[in-house]
Amino acid sequence: MREKYEPRIVAFLCNWCSYAAADLAGVSRLKYPPNLRVIKVMCSGRVNPLHVLYALSHGADGVVVAGCHPGDCHYRHGNYIARRRIALLRNLLSFVGLEEDRVVLTWASAAEGEKFAEMAREVADRVGKLGPLRHPIRKVETYD
Amino acid sequence: MIDEGRMREVARDLLASGEVDCVIGYARGSVWYRARPVAISDPDKVDMLIFNPFCMQNLATWLKFEMKENGGLQGKYGVVAKGCTARALIQMMQENGISTDDVYTIGVPCPGMVDPRKLGDDVLAMEDARVTLAGERVVVEGERRKVFSRDDVLHETCLLCRYPTPPLYDVLIGEGIEGRPAEDKNLAHLESLPAEERAKYWEDAFSRCIRCYACRNACPLCYCDGCALECLDPQWVYRSVEVSENTLYHLIRAYHLTGRCVECGSCEFSCPADVPLMELNRKMARDVERMFNYVPGMDPKAKPLLGAYDPRDPEGFIL
Ligand code: SF4
Ligand code: SF4
Ligand code: SF4
Ligand code: FES
């Protein structure tokens, strides 16, 4: 049992914008909670909903997918594709009784370090309030 | 009812003229309340072909088996296609799973399929019987005669069917019929439950699953090489049959059919464990239609839903 519940959040960040935003937040020494476990991907459109489901099953309490703002994707429309995918994934999760707010899609440009830090605070807060994921998808051995 | 004579004539002509190499259709099954798929290449054998209210299987799945077995389609196939079969074929064409030149669609407007389980053991015990759909009634005539209401004995999938007539075909046997889907009460009910109750409902359902993969195998659109559900490297889903793996299996399956599923019901019909797969499929299909104004399996030239986008897609959920 940990002292205080700290949500585990897996964050898929696209190489060109949102990862750079996280980097900027870091070098600018902005304060944000350390709950995000970052996985760098080339584009938000690279994130297969399978990755999100797998993360939730194997221990994540929340998942963030972050990409460039609409129109700024370095592969032209990867983020638009991600938008469709995540919208539908959230609906599917909600339908099987898993709080869809655990899965977050967001945009951050390379210049938005502050926005990124704010997002990280907000997600940690949101998932923290929801508590540890308790849903049939979750492997029991990953319970805290 | 479908004019079987006309269907056989069409099949005979197609085979005799060499227009197709093989016709995939239905033949009588081992008992009167089952039909089985047949592949016929000899024009003299077309009299085996039937079309009755037990032709539940989606024959597009047999094209998939042909592809898997032979590493591709061998020649051109005539396929006896109900609305959902034709839609599965169209969806496969849209995804370049098959080519429009591979298939000759023998369209049949479908009055709906009877679920034998709903007829009751006493009826199924009859040696032989003939079943006809007449308006709102389903008439079983064997040693005894029994009349059912359509609502009581059709597969739920068929009661909810919106496209009984193939959207595209090369020939249509008889006149097209309009869909008159019933109200989807189950879906509305599930959506109205609190989240915890829905989680419990699906936990029960997924716990029953024995992971036989019949639902995936029966689905005409589960034709991917290297299916994510059996891939070992990376292994997304372990083979162990327990609730979290089962849940993962089912969410991946449902998601992979999102924007592709043609609601034929083959997956649920094949399930030995009564997992209500269609509730997941229908939920996603309704959302897809509502959010993206998209219906799969209607147009071979349409873009696949999840490979396309519209700048005006819903975005209210984005943080
Ligand atoms: S998921 Fe089920 S209903 Fe949908 S196309 Fe496949 S077999 Fe048919
Ligand atoms: S489950 Fe997914 S990967 Fe497997 S065959 Fe079906 S659609 Fe393809
Ligand atoms: S057919 Fe039924 S029991 Fe078999 S894997 Fe699918 S849901 Fe599970
Ligand atoms: S490169 Fe950033 S979202 Fe595509």
Side-chain angles (χ1 to χ4, degrees):
Chain A
M1 197 61 192
R2 285 189 247 160
E3 298 274 300
K4 177 172 167 286
Y5 164 65
E6 285 294 346
R8 278 184 294 236
I9 298 164
V10 171
F12 295 98
L13 308 182
C14 92
N15 182 52
W16 303 104
C17 290
S18 45
Y19 189 85
D23 215 20
L24 180 61
V27 296
S28 319
R29 299 177 181 276
L30 296 172
K31 266 211 163 25
Y32 67 90
N35 305 67
L36 301 195
R37 270 62 157 182
V38 173
I39 299 178
K40 180 156 83 168
V41 289
M42 289 312 282
C43 173
S44 61
R46 163 66 184 110
V47 180
N48 188 325
L50 192 58
H51 301 147
V52 178
L53 293 169
Y54 190 87
L56 293 171
S57 180
H58 288 257
D61 300 312
V63 177
V64 172
V65 177
C68 316
H69 285 278
D72 291 348
C73 170
H74 289 232
Y75 306 95
R76 282 184 43 223
H77 52 234
N79 48 3
Y80 282 123
I81 304 268
R83 185 167 70 178
R84 278 197 169 181
R85 287 182 179 165
I86 301 297
L88 287 164
L89 180 64
R90 281 168 47 98
N91 288 13
L92 177 62
L93 291 174
S94 154
F95 188 58
V96 296
L98 196 158
E99 304 92 342
E100 71 272 27
D101 279 346
R102 292 181 186 273
V103 175
V104 171
L105 178 67
T106 189
W107 313 133
S109 80
E112 292 176 321
E114 177 49 52
K115 188 188 168 199
F116 184 88
E118 176 55 34
M119 181 279 293
R121 284 191 288 268
E122 163 122 24
V123 174
D125 185 54
R126 192 196 268 194
V127 178
K129 285 200 181 102
L130 288 168
L133 177 59
R134 290 290 177 267
H135 184 270
I137 199 172
R138 185 65 170 267
K139 295 193 159 302
V140 188
E141 59 271 25
T142 64
Y143 280 14
D144 292 303
Chain B
M1 294 299 286
I2 296 304
D3 183 349
E4 290 179 327
R6 171 86 186 114
M7 177 177 72
R8 291 171 190 149
E9 199 179 287
V10 166
R12 187 179 296 113
D13 289 349
L14 286 171
L15 289 168
S17 68
E19 168 82 25
V20 305
D21 300 290
C22 169
V23 168
I24 299 184
Y26 301 95
R28 199 189 132 107
S30 47
V31 284
W32 59 267
Y33 51 85
R34 296 254 179 247
R36 66 184 167 90
V38 276
I40 299 175
S41 44
D42 178 352
D44 292 335
K45 297 219 167 115
V46 296
D47 287 339
M48 294 173 78
L49 292 174
I50 59 160
F51 192 81
N52 68 23
F54 300 111
C55 297
M56 181 60 187
Q57 297 101 327
N58 190 329
L59 294 182
T61 303
W62 266 259
L63 275 194
K64 155 180 119 169
F65 291 154
E66 286 280 309
M67 287 195 283
K68 294 257 168 202
E69 224 152 273
N70 305 319
L73 293 176
Q74 317 281 315
K76 184 160 179 165
Y77 293 75
V79 181
V80 174
K82 313 177 277 183
C84 54
T85 307
R87 288 184 61 210
L89 293 171
I90 293 168
Q91 189 59 29
M92 289 160 104
M93 291 168 190
Q94 185 190 107
E95 298 167 358
N96 290 326
I98 58 175
S99 136
T100 31
D101 302 331
D102 292 335
V103 180
Y104 186 100
T105 305
I106 307 170
V108 280
C110 176
M113 293 295 148
V114 169
D115 185 346
R117 294 167 293 194
K118 293 183 177 171
L119 293 175
D121 289 344
D122 57 323
V123 172
L124 297 188
M126 287 197 259
E127 269 305 306
D128 199 3
R130 213 182 111 75
V131 180
T132 40
L133 260 64
E136 292 309 305
R137 295 180 317 155
V138 174
V139 185
V140 184
E141 287 163 300
E143 295 132 49
R144 280 167 292 118
R145 183 169 190 278
K146 208 156 170 185
V147 180
F148 294 91
S149 128
R150 181 179 181 270
D151 291 351
D152 291 340
V153 293
L154 252 55
H155 282 279
E156 194 188 20
T157 280
C158 300
L159 291 170
L160 297 172
C161 176
R162 298 130 65 86
Y163 305 100
T165 303
L168 287 178
Y169 47 78
D170 292 292
V171 59
L172 188 67
I173 309 294
E175 294 279 312
I177 45 183
E178 289 290 316
R180 43 188 184 109
E183 193 192 330
D184 194 346
K185 296 205 182 93
N186 276 341
L187 180 56
H189 169 70
L190 277 172
E191 285 181 327
S192 74
L193 293 176
E196 313 81 75
E197 278 177 50
R198 275 204 300 269
K200 181 80 186 78
Y201 176 85
W202 289 109
E203 178 166 12
D204 288 347
F206 296 153
S207 304
R208 286 200 298 277
C209 171
I210 57 171
R211 295 279 295 287
C212 64
Y213 283 65
C215 47
R216 193 227 25 197
N217 295 349
C219 176
L221 296 166
C222 270
Y223 61 85
C224 309
D225 284 330
C227 171
L229 299 173
E230 62 184 29
C231 180
L232 293 174
D233 184 19
Q235 188 167 21
W236 299 107
V237 190
Y238 300 133
R239 290 295 196 271
S240 44
V241 182
E242 47 94 8
V243 69
S244 78
E245 290 303 332
N246 291 4
T247 304
L248 200 48
Y249 171 97
H250 281 287
L251 297 188
I252 294 171
R253 195 206 62 83
Y255 196 94
H256 281 190
L257 275 310
T258 296
R260 305 175 62 232
C261 169
V262 295
E263 299 176 65
C264 67
S266 298
C267 48
E268 187 173 282
F269 178 59
S270 311
C271 176
D274 254 339
V275 180
L277 297 157
M278 288 308 293
E279 283 166 2
L280 285 169
N281 295 339
R282 278 198 288 268
K283 159 71 182 166
M284 296 316 284
R286 294 297 81 75
D287 281 5
V288 161
E289 199 171 354
R290 187 172 47 75
M291 294 163 66
F292 304 107
N293 193 21
Y294 182 91
V295 180
M298 301 301 281
D299 173 6
K301 296 205 174 65
K303 286 215 173 115
L305 175 82
L306 292 174
Y309 70 96
D310 182 326
R312 292 157 302 174
D313 282 342
E315 56 178 0
F317 65 96
I318 296 172
L319 186 73

